[in-house]
Amino acid sequence: MSAAGGRRSRPPAGGAKAWHGRLAGRTAPGLEAYSHSLDQDLQYWREDLAGSRAHARMLRTIGILSPAELLSIEQGLTRIAAELEASRFPFVTGDEDIHMAVERRLVELAGAAGAKLHTARSRNDQVALDLRLFTRRAQVDLVAGIAEVQQVLVRRSREHRQALLPGYTHLQRAQPTTLAHHLLAHVEMLQRDCDRLLDAHRRTDASPLGAGALAGSSLPIDRDQVARALGFTQIAANSLDAVADRDFALETLFACVLVAQHGSRLAEEMVIWASAEFGFVDLPDAWATGSSLMPQKKNPDVFELLRARAGRVLGDLVAACTILKALPLAYNRDLQEATPPLLDGVRVTAAGLAMLSAVMAAIRFDTERMAEAALDPQLLATDVAEHLVRKGVPFREAHTIVGRAVRAALRRGVTLADLEPSTWQRIHPAAGADVLQLFDARGALRRRELPGGPGPRTVGRALQRAELLIRRNRRQVELLRARLP
Amino acid sequence: MSAAGGRRSRPPAGGAKAWHGRLAGRTAPGLEAYSHSLDQDLQYWREDLAGSRAHARMLRTIGILSPAELLSIEQGLTRIAAELEASRFPFVTGDEDIHMAVERRLVELAGAAGAKLHTARSRNDQVALDLRLFTRRAQVDLVAGIAEVQQVLVRRSREHRQALLPGYTHLQRAQPTTLAHHLLAHVEMLQRDCDRLLDAHRRTDASPLGAGALAGSSLPIDRDQVARALGFTQIAANSLDAVADRDFALETLFACVLVAQHGSRLAEEMVIWASAEFGFVDLPDAWATGSSLMPQKKNPDVFELLRARAGRVLGDLVAACTILKALPLAYNRDLQEATPPLLDGVRVTAAGLAMLSAVMAAIRFDTERMAEAALDPQLLATDVAEHLVRKGVPFREAHTIVGRAVRAALRRGVTLADLEPSTWQRIHPAAGADVLQLFDARGALRRRELPGGPGPRTVGRALQRAELLIRRNRRQVELLRARLP
Amino acid sequence: MSAAGGRRSRPPAGGAKAWHGRLAGRTAPGLEAYSHSLDQDLQYWREDLAGSRAHARMLRTIGILSPAELLSIEQGLTRIAAELEASRFPFVTGDEDIHMAVERRLVELAGAAGAKLHTARSRNDQVALDLRLFTRRAQVDLVAGIAEVQQVLVRRSREHRQALLPGYTHLQRAQPTTLAHHLLAHVEMLQRDCDRLLDAHRRTDASPLGAGALAGSSLPIDRDQVARALGFTQIAANSLDAVADRDFALETLFACVLVAQHGSRLAEEMVIWASAEFGFVDLPDAWATGSSLMPQKKNPDVFELLRARAGRVLGDLVAACTILKALPLAYNRDLQEATPPLLDGVRVTAAGLAMLSAVMAAIRFDTERMAEAALDPQLLATDVAEHLVRKGVPFREAHTIVGRAVRAALRRGVTLADLEPSTWQRIHPAAGADVLQLFDARGALRRRELPGGPGPRTVGRALQRAELLIRRNRRQVELLRARLP
Amino acid sequence: MSAAGGRRSRPPAGGAKAWHGRLAGRTAPGLEAYSHSLDQDLQYWREDLAGSRAHARMLRTIGILSPAELLSIEQGLTRIAAELEASRFPFVTGDEDIHMAVERRLVELAGAAGAKLHTARSRNDQVALDLRLFTRRAQVDLVAGIAEVQQVLVRRSREHRQALLPGYTHLQRAQPTTLAHHLLAHVEMLQRDCDRLLDAHRRTDASPLGAGALAGSSLPIDRDQVARALGFTQIAANSLDAVADRDFALETLFACVLVAQHGSRLAEEMVIWASAEFGFVDLPDAWATGSSLMPQKKNPDVFELLRARAGRVLGDLVAACTILKALPLAYNRDLQEATPPLLDGVRVTAAGLAMLSAVMAAIRFDTERMAEAALDPQLLATDVAEHLVRKGVPFREAHTIVGRAVRAALRRGVTLADLEPSTWQRIHPAAGADVLQLFDARGALRRRELPGGPGPRTVGRALQRAELLIRRNRRQVELLRARLP
């Protein structure tokens, strides 16, 4: 109890606000309902308790808490954790957020010791701490989820290293490539997402606790101790910024936008490939959806949802950015409203990654249909032009020549491969019978062993590179997870 | 039972999908979780049941259902409504959306009759119907909510018809106005919101039912009967469009964006006015929020939340618009993802309106502080210039002259009203002692009885106009509510 | 002239600011560059001059201008119009916007009369007027552009009334429809866009002039005269709102977003249909684009651009909405920044409509490829199920039965139409030889003469309806154009 | 010349398209106008020429070009650079983009050698290269611009190290801080922006050239040589990804969104501080703006523009993200439309930074008004509570006690500092006469020498840290600029 003598600490009665000294009467019920944030807070109660635990230990170190008080706080927090875990926490009307609900409950459980926990702390720095802890975990989990998708794509690439695929530009057949080369493009896109998330993590990794409402505290708190206890490598360098900043949330949301966007690009391809007209992929029945009306339907809904959710995450980013715009320092309640988009964006993105891993592992590639399309001789028109270049024809001229040949073939209703040597000769003296041997999609790939290209040996090296990246991503996940409280 | 003879209709077992004939095995659990929409659907189960009831009656009219079958469907739907109302509806795994859950339950309750309900209907037109019914109700409720805010603002305006207020541009004091004139500006903004919602309602008011999956039905259904039963005045004119269209949702969301934006503008003013420096308003304790750390604080959080939520609704609109972009006809599962933004945007906007009514009714205006600021003689500089115009000085010259006087006064540390007649005379012969009588804010208002201006009589007329608008809005609400099923 | 006697009106020297009386020295050059809006203003100089002309005449009516002064102002404005038209207007440093540039030039041309033009007017109400005039014109032009696209789509529909097309959901073939029915769905979408633009026009149609900076004027101006002269049917009802409002711009931008989105949906279809795999459309060479590298390519770039620009217009809307959020009344300079998105969104949307008319008129439909796809017997599975319904089988059971038949056919590598009557009989006694006659796509259409459906007679009526709508849209365009100044 | 013998290379005639062999006739003029990108391309013609030069040298290395051909290409490119620099480049109709315009001109200048430049290159990889070079430069310039703003803020902080300022939360006075501490919060925010831009730079730093249309080339090109020549440290690892990726643009745009958002937060503060009611800052006349109507006005337009442009950049990001969503690989023309938002966002952000440096250097702080506000005794309520904590009162109890004292003081119309020791004693035995000495804002700051706090010595260290960061930013700028071609 208090050194202030026999006077009894009277914590506010159940439901009264922490500031009942200053503001008379009860909060208007409409305002309670409108402003409470408990639903969202429940997604990071673990972080809130971890922060309180570290804060309490620091208060013990500097002598604000006695050993007995610390013990009773820690026991109280342990009990609260169990209650929250089991969804049995006794919320009361007036618990407007997780911070005040926990403090109220702690006072019930630990008496005056509980009433000391908020010493030298404000909800402003407390919520900033909770969100940074939550965001650190989310970033790490997202990297793990991406690595999983990458692993599936690499496995499917290995299965289909030889599978020919038409490369498209403008959704028009362009040049032959392979399914492996195509899937590895998606692996590269996802790798940038990992890197972005890890960069965002570096900037999230700074403890705001100790910033108080905005100006720290007049008590001799130790910000470094708290930071270390929670696995932060640094503390936020300016107390005003520490409570006013949500860059880490916006940056993480943006990283989610790109993850979701990359997912949407793959999803769009799968929707198109699953059409009767393309027929490049087929979903196992367990991964497809039927129609309530049309008995024959088998729909790739999962990819449509993945595609659509890229829009949802973008909406989340816009909401958060618009909310932050033009806010004066330091804390404003608007900041509370930047949290739901963060939570939603992270959740939707993580779920999308899990779905992508599962469905890309399950999908069947119809490599015969792909190969059939890839063997279209038109896809080798560029090879003919480059063949002419090797014979000294300036490229632009070679391009025009082959363009004319294409037109001629179309007019005659034949493919480029059907034109006779004599026709080629007429078109250009440099083009002769040797042109015909170019119409071989596999040969075209072997001619493309340049770095990054679709040549079989190059793709083999790309697979090794991809596996290396995945291992590195996973190692990062392990290291950063170990530091989470 | 069926004319097909003794053969028993076997509805799918609990949890099996409607399309279990076509797709073998169970849906992957991950896909179930990822794609289900029950959470959102529960916000419009009433609409779904109303639609099913109307559809069933039409099926009876055209002879698909016998009277007994209709009766058993209606009894089943009534029971389901009671179960949903009491949150006792027995959902099972595999109930992926409200439509399939209701049908499954109906088959349990009503047997083969239930298995006939989906005749000539697809979830594509069914969900479009549900959303249109939901949206019609939402539009009407929003208009009612706006009328409520308008009413409060008009009441406060009447209370403070005489209250002087500095009008601001660039947050700099500009010219005198009154609190009533200022609040009525917000009434006008909200009136446009009502009009927009009512326009959107007209475009929502078209029944999609009967469009089926996209091509209607080969059965002789009566779309008009269903439309009438549900209070629609027209039917969607093209079946492909009927299932692919979400314009009504986007348009309603956009109307919400503007409502929320208007709220944010008023909220921003109240935040600024509540600062110690302005001191124009004061919140009753029940409507203010304290600080967990700083004992003296009394914060206008409610306005900060209102301000922020304009960002949230904009995020909803962006999500929905991005999702709809570049979708080929007709139905794609992406459309499901446009629904959560609609539900969220409508809910957040409606809650904001309720809050605005309540807090604007409760807020205290410190009309003395306002008047003190409004009496700043600088605010009458324009009146001096216009006074010179009346004496024949070209306005641009008059403006320059008065600008110089302002500068002179500032240099001497006095106000414009403190300059002596002789100084004015030196500045311009047309300016003399009569300038001094201009420094009277109330006189300035009386000089501004032009239409739309802050003159007392004009504001009196504006109050009457506002009350007329409110009555008209409420009449619309009544008429449209009467048509809702 | 002035009662102030011989004293000469000295308008500010070329380049000095209108407020040079109040603020000493020159504006910092950096600020000039950062804040000037001339580039954007030049898109509505005609509106600015029309407004000035109407304002001047009103000033004459109330005696502020003499007949001679009005004449010299009108002559000056005519000369300025000619200079701007010919891009020969002599801008000088310090002309920060069109309003001040015109006034400066007018003073050069018309002397002291010019210095009287700004009497009882502020740039706040002036720019609001210019933008409303610009927006009214833009709305009308957009409706005209939409009617043009509708006309092209109707013409193409008439050409291809019989052309079978598979209707798709989830990009999977669903049920047979016709190209005409499909194109008419787009006509309906565009019709809503027209209606929205016309609704927005009604709310744009209120003259802000006379609102001054925010509080009108102490001079006896006649707002109605100005409004009538500029073809407005009403005046803005509150002077604070009149200068602070940009709803009309946002609403028009939103209407553009939906126009562009509808364009993007059609464009996406054309990109997919132009693929080698679908092959439903072919662009004339003049409307296609080749590749700089691949000689064989013929790309539908025009549709990709149309698709992408829906994103651009959405970006414009977000910019404008974010800018307006949380702005206190009345005018703030932020409002200037809402103008470029409006101008850009309108321009991009109008250009897209023109392009859509042209390319949809030029595109070739390969109705044979379409028909081939539409004749896939699977598309008639629903008809089989509805056939069973007619025989008394509950729909859900019929759906399951046909689903099993589809699965059986797939297993045997045949189509649904290849199953023998005996197989059908085994599947369900109600299904017999008569099932086979259902596999006729044209018959399926004839069975769908319900309102809004793809039946030939119904589509005929839909074409008539579409033509009626187009005529109505064009009549509106004429009426509203006649009112533009 | 060509080994193909006497045959003359005939480059396409002026205005003909590169693909005139394949597509007959002229491109439709409407399509030319709609699809051309020259306006935007002109912002990176230097990058395009640098890329062509590096590509040509590589073609020489691998023997495609003879020394003479390389020489004539280099001379041609030099001439073209001069023409573009002087805005004298002879564009012709049909020059749809900078790449084709340059090639056409080069063929005019260098004959057949020019027609060889596009060998083994596509516009797909070429434009990706140009944009990456442009983006690298933009990132570096933005970091330089940020360092400039930081420098100004540090200088102003040093000038006002002692200046008291009320710290605000919810725009309510919270606790005393100093202007220096406040400005340094902005320095921290900007530092994160630098870091983000440098991270984005690392991901931009990969050369796409050699990816061709999507599958590289069958010619033996050397991607590494080109990359080194252009200052890239790596090459894009997958050719499909290399042409389909715009992550670097989106990430840079997002970094701009946060820069602009940080600017908007500072701007909002300055707008509020410049109000008559706050009076904390005053703009020199050269940096303020007057009114066209109200002679007394002096407006902080520059900050309103800065505030608004945060919305514009967000709109740019939304446009680009929406455009990229759901694009299948590899190149689609939609990508062209992602470029204008990038160019606009970078330009607007850079201009905003320049403006911020200038105006924050010029602004005058009224440190007396600030101090007067900061001396409000209520701001020390927390210090009283923490004082009681030091005496053993649990914080929550102390908070309530002081809250009651605040209420009591308000009721009596006095400040907290006016309560007598006896009153304090009555409120709580631990509070006595020693409370009175707490009401000293400077003392409150000295009590806050915790890391990140507003204590004078701590702020001194923060200033040193800030200068270190600025030096580091500038060193990075130098290093990266040196690598730009």
Side-chain angles (χ1 to χ4, degrees), chain C residues 236-277:
Chain C
N238 179 292
S239 61
L240 285 154
D241 178 43
V243 296
D245 168 41
R246 289 295 181 274
D247 284 6
F248 61 92
L250 301 185
E251 188 173 357
T252 304
L253 260 176
F254 172 71
C256 287
V257 165
L258 285 201
V259 173
Q261 186 180 93
H262 293 155
S264 80
R265 297 184 77 169
L266 181 52
E268 171 81 0
E269 294 182 323
M270 294 304 113
V271 168
I272 292 173
W273 290 9
S275 67
E277 289 74 8

Side-chain angles (χ1 to χ4, degrees), chain A residues 168-170 277 297 304, chain C residues 168-170 173 277 297 304:
Chain A
Y168 292 82
T169 60
H170 311 266
E277 289 75 9
K297 285 305 277 317
E304 296 169 274
Chain C
Y168 292 82
T169 61
H170 311 267
R173 293 174 187 167
E277 289 74 8
K297 286 305 277 315
E304 297 169 274

Side-chain angles (χ1 to χ4, degrees), chain D residues 233-399:
Chain D
T233 62
Q234 47 185 322
I235 61 168
N238 179 292
S239 60
L240 285 155
D241 178 43
V243 296
D245 169 40
R246 288 297 181 273
D247 284 6
F248 61 92
L250 301 186
E251 188 173 357
T252 304
L253 259 177
F254 173 70
C256 286
V257 165
L258 285 201
V259 172
Q261 186 180 94
H262 293 155
S264 81
R265 298 184 76 169
L266 181 52
E268 171 80 0
E269 294 182 324
M270 295 304 114
V271 168
I272 292 173
W273 290 9
S275 67
E277 289 75 9
F278 275 76
F280 290 180
V281 292
D282 182 36
L283 282 165
D285 286 2
W287 287 95
T289 315
S291 159
S292 69
L293 174 64
M294 297 174 288
Q296 89 281 10
K297 286 305 279 314
K298 181 175 158 188
N299 294 324
D301 293 47
V302 58
F303 291 115
E304 297 169 272
L305 291 169
L306 275 160
R307 179 171 66 183
R309 288 184 189 170
R312 176 168 180 153
V313 184
L314 180 60
D316 287 328
L317 177 65
V318 169
C321 284
T322 305
I323 287 167
L324 264 290
K325 183 198 154 225
L327 281 191
L329 303 189
Y331 184 84
N332 300 281
R333 187 68 174 269
D334 310 66
L335 294 182
Q336 176 181 301
E337 295 300 302
T339 300
L342 172 68
L343 301 175
D344 188 71
V346 161
R347 192 181 54 71
V348 166
T349 307
L353 286 168
M355 197 49 26
L356 214 44
S357 296
V359 73
M360 291 310 294
I363 203 166
R364 287 189 294 258
F365 295 103
D366 188 334
T367 53
E368 281 185 39
R369 288 285 294 266
M370 287 179 183
E372 196 181 319
L375 292 169
D376 181 346
Q378 285 222 356
L379 302 203
L380 299 168
T382 311
D383 287 55
V384 179
E386 293 186 341
H387 175 75
L388 297 176
V389 164
R390 265 188 234 97
K391 298 201 169 185
V393 185
F395 176 73
R396 186 54 63 219
E397 185 184 0
H399 182 279

